[in-house]
């Protein structure tokens, strides 16, 4: 992760790199979060607004409760999604992991798995966290496979946990633990 310090907020991968999200990324974030193929995989599915995103930046990112990066392709630097750690709890050494790929042509290329691996390393080495957890809709099998490839394991299966699209849906809790900081 020394690479991050040298490149000012940039984490290098093979196919993608992560750079800290900036205010100029707001239009992309809003467009992606309001796209059906992205929104349907989120537990929070209400329309995403500029005001909502600006509040997120002010109340979450600027206060250190969230660290958010843009996922950019190495080949051309084009942003294709975002990844973040939210509700960072330094007392207990944990945070919730979140990701979305916003460009349809960037799906199924391994970008999400690579970004997840980089964020796990960042969370453990740079943030000093002990545990990352995530919530995923059980029907989102592709995401579950990607998370498992990155190192997350299933911790709980919650039946009828959320009510979306007129029906109850199951949620899987997954986590990865940093065994090196005990």
């Amino acid at each position: 992760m020394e690479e991050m310090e040298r490149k000012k907020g940039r984490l290098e991968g093979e196919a993608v790199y992560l750079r800290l999200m900036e205010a100029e990324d707001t239009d992309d974030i809003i467009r992606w979060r309001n796209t059906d193929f992205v929104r349907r995989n989120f537990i929070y599915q209400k329309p995403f607004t500029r005001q909502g995103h600006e509040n997120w930046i002010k109340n979450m990112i600027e206060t250190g409760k969230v660290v958010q990066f843009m996922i950019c392709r190495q080949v051309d630097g084009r942003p294709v999604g975002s990844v973040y750690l939210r509700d960072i709890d330094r007392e207990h050494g944990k945070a919730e992991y979140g990701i979305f790929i916003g460009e349809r042509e960037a799906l199924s290329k391994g970008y999400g798995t690579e970004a997840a691996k980089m964020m796990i390393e960042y969370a453990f080495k740079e943030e000093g966290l002990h545990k990352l957890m995530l919530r995923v809709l059980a029907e989102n099998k592709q995401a579950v496979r990607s998370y498992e490839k990155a190192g997350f394991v299933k911790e709980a299966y919650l039946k009828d946990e959320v009510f979306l699209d007129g029906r109850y849906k199951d949620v899987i809790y997954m986590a990865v633990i940093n065994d090196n900081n005990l």
Side-chain angles (χ1 to χ4, degrees):
M1 284 304 150
E2 299 81 28
E3 196 69 28
M4 179 169 191
E5 292 172 25
R6 277 183 284 181
K7 294 208 174 183
K8 295 187 179 171
R10 186 165 152 157
L11 306 175
E12 294 294 332
E14 290 184 30
V16 296
Y17 66 87
L18 307 180
R19 66 164 172 79
L20 287 171
M21 186 193 70
E22 301 170 352
E24 294 77 29
D25 296 312
T26 296
D27 289 340
D28 282 337
I29 297 286
I30 293 168
R31 179 173 49 86
W32 293 334
R33 284 294 310 272
N34 287 318
T35 304
D36 284 340
F37 77 88
V38 173
R39 188 172 58 220
R40 74 171 175 248
N41 290 314
F42 268 82
I43 292 170
Y44 179 83
Q45 296 189 352
K46 292 184 173 93
F48 204 72
T49 65
R50 176 170 298 282
Q51 183 64 45
H53 186 65
E54 289 170 356
N55 288 341
W56 169 266
I57 292 170
K58 180 181 177 186
N59 299 321
M60 301 299 278
I61 293 175
E62 291 177 2
T63 62
K65 295 176 186 170
V66 171
V67 176
Q68 187 165 359
F69 291 89
M70 299 297 287
I71 303 167
C72 302
R73 296 189 308 195
Q74 284 284 11
V75 67
D76 59 7
R78 181 174 178 219
V80 296
S82 186
V83 63
Y84 52 90
L85 303 177
R86 65 173 289 156
D87 301 324
I88 298 172
D89 179 344
R90 300 202 187 281
E91 180 180 350
H92 298 289
K94 63 182 182 173
E96 183 171 352
Y97 172 82
I99 186 172
F100 56 93
I101 301 296
E103 299 294 342
R104 189 176 292 280
E105 71 274 4
L107 296 172
S108 301
K109 299 210 181 306
Y111 296 161
T113 301
E114 185 176 5
K117 289 177 181 178
M118 287 191 287
M119 283 301 284
I120 291 168
E121 183 178 353
Y122 170 83
F124 293 166
K125 289 185 177 177
E126 301 298 323
E127 295 289 334
L129 299 178
H130 176 68
K131 181 176 183 176
L132 287 184
M133 61 79 62
L134 64 83
R135 298 170 293 162
V136 60
L137 295 172
E139 64 192 32
N140 191 351
K141 308 260 188 249
Q142 184 175 358
V144 171
R145 279 192 305 275
S146 176
Y147 297 141
E148 287 174 334
K149 285 182 199 173
F152 285 91
V153 295
K154 294 175 186 171
E155 286 196 337
Y157 191 98
L158 304 171
K159 296 286 293 170
D160 292 349
E161 180 69 4
V162 295
F163 189 77
L164 301 170
D165 299 325
R167 65 186 180 94
Y168 286 97
K169 296 185 178 189
D170 301 346
V171 172
I172 299 172
Y173 274 52
M174 301 179 76
V176 60
I177 293 175
N178 181 5
D179 291 324
N180 296 324
N181 71 348
L182 296 176

